[in-house]
Each structure stands twice: as C-alpha cells, then as structure tokens.
Amino acid sequence: MKLKKICAIAATAAMAMGLLTGCGSTAATSEAANDAVASSTSSASSTDGEKFTVGICQLVQHPALDAATEGFKDALKAEFGDKVTFDEQNAAGDASTATQICTNFASENVDLILANATASLQSAAAATNTIPILGTSITEYGVALEIDDFDGTVGGNISGTSDLAPLDQQAAMIQELFPDAKNVGILYCSAEPNSKYQAEQVQKNLEEAGLAVKVYTFSDSNDVTSVTGEACNNSDVLYIPTDNTAASCTEAINNVAKPAGVPIVAGEEGIMAGCGVATLSIDYYELGKTTGQMAVKILKGEANISDMPIEYYQNPVKEYNPELCDALNVTVPEDYTAYEAESEE
C-alpha cells in the first residue's frame, strides 16, 4: 500500500511539473516496480571492478546540508575509492530545479540518488520508482511523502535518514532557558511541510505547559524580515524548527531579533550558529555518513532498499551559541556544550 501511495504522490508531482513518471495505479504496475527495484539491487551484488555513479540533489547550500552531503560521500569513498563517481547538483533552494536535476539523474540511469532535504526527496520520488533513492536531512518521511500511518519503513525504492531531534526535549529546552517566558513565537517557512510538523508538535508541548504560543510563517526569503519583526514584537522568545529557508536567512533574522533582544531556540546547529542562542544539536556529517553506509549496502547487494527502515541520529547534544548568549544575557546550564565555529584557513 505504501508503494501505491508513493507512486500516487510521484504522479501528482510529475503532472504539476509537466513531467512523465513510471508510477501507475494498478497492482501489476506496483509489482513491476518492486521487481525493478529488486533487480537494481541484485545487479550490484558483485562489486569487483564495478564502478558506480551516484547522483546527489541538494536543495540548498547551508552548513547542515553541506555536512550531510560530505558525510555521505566520505562513507562511499571509504568503501569504493575512485570506483564511485558523484554527480553533485545544488538546486539553489528551488523545487522546480530539484525536479529537473532528479529527472536528469533518472534519464542518465545513475546507480543511486541521494536526495538531501525534503523537496529533493519529493522530486526524486517523482522522477523514478526504480533507481534506489536515499534521503537525508529529512525530518519526517510520512509527512514528506504523504504516507498515512507511517511505520518507519517507506518501501519501494526509498529509504534514508532523518534529522528529527526529540521535539519534546526542544520544547523543554525553551522552558529551561527562559522560565519566565509567557509568550513564545514559532517562526518557519510555510512552504516546508516538515517545518509545519515540527512547529505543531512543539506548540502542543508548550501549550500543555501553560505557555501562550503564536505561529508566524513567511512564504519565502522575501518576507523573512517583516515576519520576524512581527514575531519579535509579540514574543518573549522564538523557536525556529529545522527549516531550509530559515537556515538560508539567518543573517536577516538575526539582524531583527538581536537588536530587539528576543532570543531564538533553533531546531538545528546551522540556524543556531546564525541567529540562535541554543539548540538540541544533530551531527549532520554523521547523519550523512550513516546514509552513505546504507548506500554501500545497497550498491553491494547486501540489502534491499524496500526493506530498510529510516534511521535516526541517536545522540543529540544540548548546544549554545556563546556570542549571542553573551549579547542577550542568557545564562545556560552546565550540561550545555559551547558551539565553536570552524575557523577558515
């Protein structure tokens, strides 16, 4: 049933973009797709002297996604060396460009596709139902692929890793750092369904704790400044979930929130580094490395992607931004780790 659901999503996305996909609505088509995936996996069972081409579609350039891509590539290079070639493409934040990239990968019949971020995963799913697709930096696969009652395994030709940190712990972090806060603003991009999912969960936790919560959404980078200003005017503290658009606009957000004296708790390290005081941090390099290790098993024929459950980062860390904490007079408990920016050589 999951494969049929994913095929339906792929077909819908393809029609919207004016593309053709191989997903059909019949049981025979679904069975054929499963056979094709199995054939693709088994064809890689012997890798002696075999070379692989891996297509990488990264939605946008920012530190978290960059780190995931690097971890993925390093895991494959550690196993295959120069026998693996990467066709690495960046969609510059545009979903239609991601669709074009993934359609090209499908036409070139690459051996595997890495879809880095939700829009990339959706584009890859629309482009092919036979080539193995691994997602990374995906918050919630059930939301991304519109799978009802998602049980942790996508099926078909899709699997991967999730960057979802424990949202109840992120909500608790807001209360821990700002016990006197009464009004919390949640800020995210309305075009990102995974951000909406995180926002709803955190809002539920905060409201159950007795805080007043209001959601503020921007449609794209053009209205980030104005929406952030409105949120700051009505909030004691802001929460920004893992959100690709926000991650690309941290400077603009910080230019509003910092002068207003409103601290931000972020869903991931990259956003915290740019405009936040704290986060429950995911190591995106290690997440990408885990995804790469999954790819190795698929390419070597040691695993069938349709049976592979989504994997999660197991050891999130409480982290704080010393510079912004000092500027906003935020005191953090001793169990928080100070964020250290990588020095540029």
Side-chain angles (χ1 to χ4, degrees):
M1 292 298 293
K2 290 179 182 175
L3 181 61
K4 292 181 181 179
K5 179 70 171 178
I6 295 166
C7 287
I9 296 166
T12 301
M15 287 187 290
M17 297 293 180
L19 300 172
L20 295 176
T21 73
C23 276
S25 58
T26 66
T29 303
S30 296
E31 184 176 351
N34 273 326
D35 291 343
V37 173
S39 175
S40 175
T41 302
S42 63
S43 67
S45 60
S46 176
T47 60
D48 293 341
E50 189 172 1
K51 294 185 178 182
F52 302 102
T53 299
V54 175
I56 299 175
C57 179
Q58 181 173 319
L59 178 62
V60 67
Q61 183 175 7
H62 69 71
L65 301 190
D66 293 348
T69 293
E70 286 307 306
F72 174 81
K73 291 165 60 179
D74 285 350
L76 284 166
K77 287 187 287 188
E79 179 67 31
F80 298 123
D82 60 4
K83 293 180 181 179
V84 60
T85 300
F86 301 102
D87 185 353
E88 187 174 349
Q89 303 287 334
N90 193 297
D94 184 68
S96 61
T97 301
T99 297
Q100 182 178 0
I101 291 169
C102 292
T103 301
N104 289 341
F105 288 160
S107 66
E108 293 165 3
N109 198 30
V110 297
D111 296 294
L112 184 141
I113 296 172
L114 174 70
N116 193 343
T118 298
S120 297
L121 177 66
Q122 293 168 333
S123 296
T128 176
N129 65 347
T130 55
I131 297 172
I133 299 167
L134 288 175
T136 193
S137 311
I138 312 296
T139 303
E140 219 288 326
Y141 282 75
V143 173
L145 297 173
E146 299 182 12
I147 302 172
D148 294 332
D149 301 320
F150 179 59
D151 64 3
T153 301
V154 176
N157 64 322
I158 298 173
S159 188
T161 57
S162 169
D163 62 358
L164 181 64
L167 296 174
D168 58 339
Q169 294 181 35
Q170 290 190 353
M173 179 182 288
I174 295 171
Q175 296 174 269
E176 179 180 51
L177 292 173
F178 308 102
D180 297 328
K182 294 180 173 58
N183 298 291
V184 178
I186 299 182
L187 180 69
Y188 67 93
C189 178
S190 58
E192 300 196 28
N194 282 316
S195 298
K196 183 176 185 290
Y197 170 81
Q198 295 170 80
E200 289 174 345
Q201 298 302 309
V202 171
Q203 180 178 7
K204 178 181 177 182
N205 281 287
L206 291 174
E207 288 179 341
E208 287 177 350
L211 281 75
V213 181
K214 186 172 181 178
V215 173
Y216 301 87
T217 61
F218 46 87
S219 57
D220 54 37
S221 59
N222 294 318
D223 58 347
V224 165
T225 297
S226 61
V227 175
T228 301
E230 181 186 358
C232 287
N233 289 337
N234 298 289
S235 309
D236 300 314
V237 57
L238 298 181
Y239 171 74
I240 301 177
T242 302
D243 183 284
N244 293 306
T245 307
S248 301
C249 299
T250 56
E251 183 177 1
I253 294 170
N254 191 53
N255 286 342
V256 176
K258 183 179 177 181
V262 179
I264 295 171
V265 173
E268 57 93 8
E269 185 184 77
I271 296 175
M272 183 205 67
C275 64
V277 295
T279 186
L280 191 63
S281 177
I282 296 294
D283 189 327
Y284 277 82
Y285 177 84
E286 290 298 326
L287 192 72
K289 189 175 178 181
T290 297
T291 317
Q293 291 165 347
M294 295 173 74
V296 168
K297 292 177 183 178
I298 293 166
L299 293 174
K300 292 179 71 175
E302 297 175 353
N304 187 329
I305 191 170
S306 64
D307 299 325
M308 299 176 79
I310 302 304
E311 297 194 25
Y312 295 80
Y313 187 74
Q314 298 299 314
N315 301 299
V317 175
K318 289 181 176 180
E319 195 172 15
Y320 74 98
N321 182 334
E323 181 181 349
L324 272 176
C325 283
D326 288 343
L328 298 174
N329 297 314
V330 176
T331 301
V332 298
E334 293 182 356
D335 60 337
Y336 282 63
T337 301
Y339 167 76
E340 296 182 4
E342 295 182 3
S343 59
E344 295 184 2
E345 298 182 357

